[in-house]
Amino acid sequence: MAKIGEAKVVTTDVFEMGSIPWKSFNLDTSAPSSPPTTLLIFTPTVPAAYTVIVFYHGFFIPPSYYTQLLSRIVSHGFIVVAPQLFWNGLPMFGSDEIKYAGEVVDWLVNGLQPLLPENVEAKLEKVVLLGHSKGGKTAFSVALGYAKTTLKFSALIGIDPVGRLSKCKATESPPKILTGVPRSLNLNVPVAVIGTGLGPEKANILFPPCAPDGENHVEFFNESKPPKANFVAPNYGHMDMLDDVTPGIFGTVLAKCLCKNGKGPKKLMRETVAGLVVAFLRAQLDGDYKDFDAILENPGIAPAKLDDVEYITA
């Protein structure tokens, strides 16, 4: 058996598609490895050892709607495991959602490696947590210990994370993690928050904002402890990192009607989000700050405009 080494990154441009071939596949709960819920798994096919990212989707958004975003991240040398946190066709809430989110992390220990291509190794020493919208809150909740897991985490990234739909308590599902107090979240990992400028705005009179003020990326960043990074795409909305095509009537409503969208191509937002994720993880996990520092110094190199770019270390 060939010796498995560290994944070699061929491209240095994080905003481009990476050069590492990959594949994806679905795994349901009837599979021999018995995952706790249905999974969408992306893996490189080139022999090497790769960091594992667990990605939590937003409210009522199937993981498959993030294929174009997640495939970009995988092509730079990561394995992504995206659980579908649904129950009988409906999204999970509160303690059930956090419980299953944690069980997916523990499933990685024995369930993931046998499914990967030959000589592709999952690095489970420290797992990365990544989430969008309500899934961003889920990722933060797991990192905070609301789900008891056996694995440790190396980094936490929220993509336009949302605590609840409004300040009204009726819209909140447990756990309540936002406190309104700066640096109050007891996190022991580097944190990156990627926000949108249009998330706090209504798309129309029928729906509230998808990422309302007081419950969005601003609070998640302010309440995280250093080291922490912040990026905001002012001209894009809460759903603008989803695939160009989200099948079905609900997929159309979700992507085009529910939240205010930017007028620019969604491709630019996906390129920007994926590039920020890759650059941040290279810096925090591998000590390779070249791309990360370049973005901090000149945010204009990102495909989508970025505001409020900062990195706080202490």
Side-chain angles (χ1 to χ4, degrees):
M1 182 175 180
K3 182 179 179 180
I4 299 177
E6 296 297 312
K8 293 183 178 179
V9 179
V10 178
T11 177
T12 57
D13 193 338
V14 295
F15 296 117
E16 298 292 335
M17 196 74 172
S19 62
I20 298 177
W22 58 275
K23 70 174 185 177
S24 66
F25 57 93
N26 290 287
L27 193 70
D28 63 33
T29 55
S30 65
S33 58
S34 301
T37 187
T38 301
L39 306 175
L40 176 58
I41 298 175
F42 296 79
T43 175
T45 56
V46 175
Y50 300 93
T51 294
V52 176
I53 300 172
V54 178
F55 173 78
Y56 300 115
H57 60 77
F59 180 69
F60 235 131
I61 309 175
S64 60
Y65 285 8
Y66 298 92
T67 294
Q68 289 177 291
L69 171 66
L70 298 180
S71 63
R72 299 189 73 88
I73 296 171
V74 173
S75 73
H76 286 277
F78 298 91
I79 296 169
V80 176
V81 176
Q84 180 163 302
L85 298 177
F86 283 43
W87 186 259
N88 292 328
L90 296 174
M92 297 179 187
F93 288 95
S95 57
D96 284 340
E97 180 179 17
I98 304 305
K99 173 178 176 288
Y100 277 89
E103 288 182 359
V104 169
V105 173
D106 282 344
W107 172 86
L108 299 175
V109 176
N110 297 311
L112 179 59
Q113 187 60 54
L115 303 174
L116 300 178
E118 185 177 2
N119 291 340
V120 169
E121 180 181 320
K123 295 166 62 177
L124 298 179
E125 296 84 2
K126 289 188 178 181
V127 173
V128 173
L129 297 175
L130 172 67
H132 168 239
S133 189
K134 187 167 74 80
K137 178 189 174 183
T138 300
F140 271 76
S141 299
V142 174
L144 286 166
Y146 286 98
K148 302 302 180 183
T149 60
T150 57
L151 295 177
K152 295 181 179 180
F153 306 115
S154 58
L156 169 64
I157 304 173
I159 303 173
D160 221 22
V162 176
R164 56 184 175 182
L165 292 179
S166 73
K167 285 293 186 181
C168 175
K169 290 185 177 181
T171 65
E172 182 173 49
S173 61
K176 175 177 170 54
I177 62 173
L178 294 177
T179 64
V181 179
R183 304 191 179 194
S184 58
L185 297 178
N186 190 25
L187 297 163
N188 298 312
V189 295
V191 176
V193 177
I194 304 169
T196 65
L198 302 182
E201 299 184 19
K202 290 184 178 182
N204 49 61
I205 62 172
L206 299 177
F207 301 108
C210 288
D213 288 329
E215 294 290 335
N216 62 23
H217 64 93
V218 176
E219 283 66 43
F220 279 89
F221 177 71
N222 287 341
E223 296 186 25
S224 296
K225 295 179 180 179
K228 59 180 181 178
N230 188 64
F231 308 91
V232 179
N235 299 326
Y236 281 89
H238 192 63
M239 299 293 187
D240 283 337
M241 68 293 299
L242 298 185
D243 289 354
D244 287 328
V245 177
T246 51
I249 296 177
F250 184 76
T252 300
V253 172
L254 193 71
K256 300 185 182 300
C257 304
L258 193 61
C259 306
K260 185 168 183 178
N261 296 325
K263 296 182 179 180
K266 290 167 67 175
K267 177 176 182 288
L268 300 184
M269 183 58 172
R270 288 192 300 268
E271 290 173 349
T272 299
V273 171
L276 293 174
V277 169
V278 172
F280 179 73
L281 293 180
R282 284 183 183 174
Q284 301 300 324
L285 305 187
D286 303 327
D288 180 0
Y289 279 81
K290 177 174 61 67
D291 298 301
F292 186 65
D293 285 345
I295 297 168
L296 294 177
E297 183 177 345
N298 180 17
I301 64 176
K305 180 183 177 182
L306 292 175
D307 284 346
D308 300 327
V309 174
E310 56 183 319
Y311 178 51
I312 300 174
T313 59

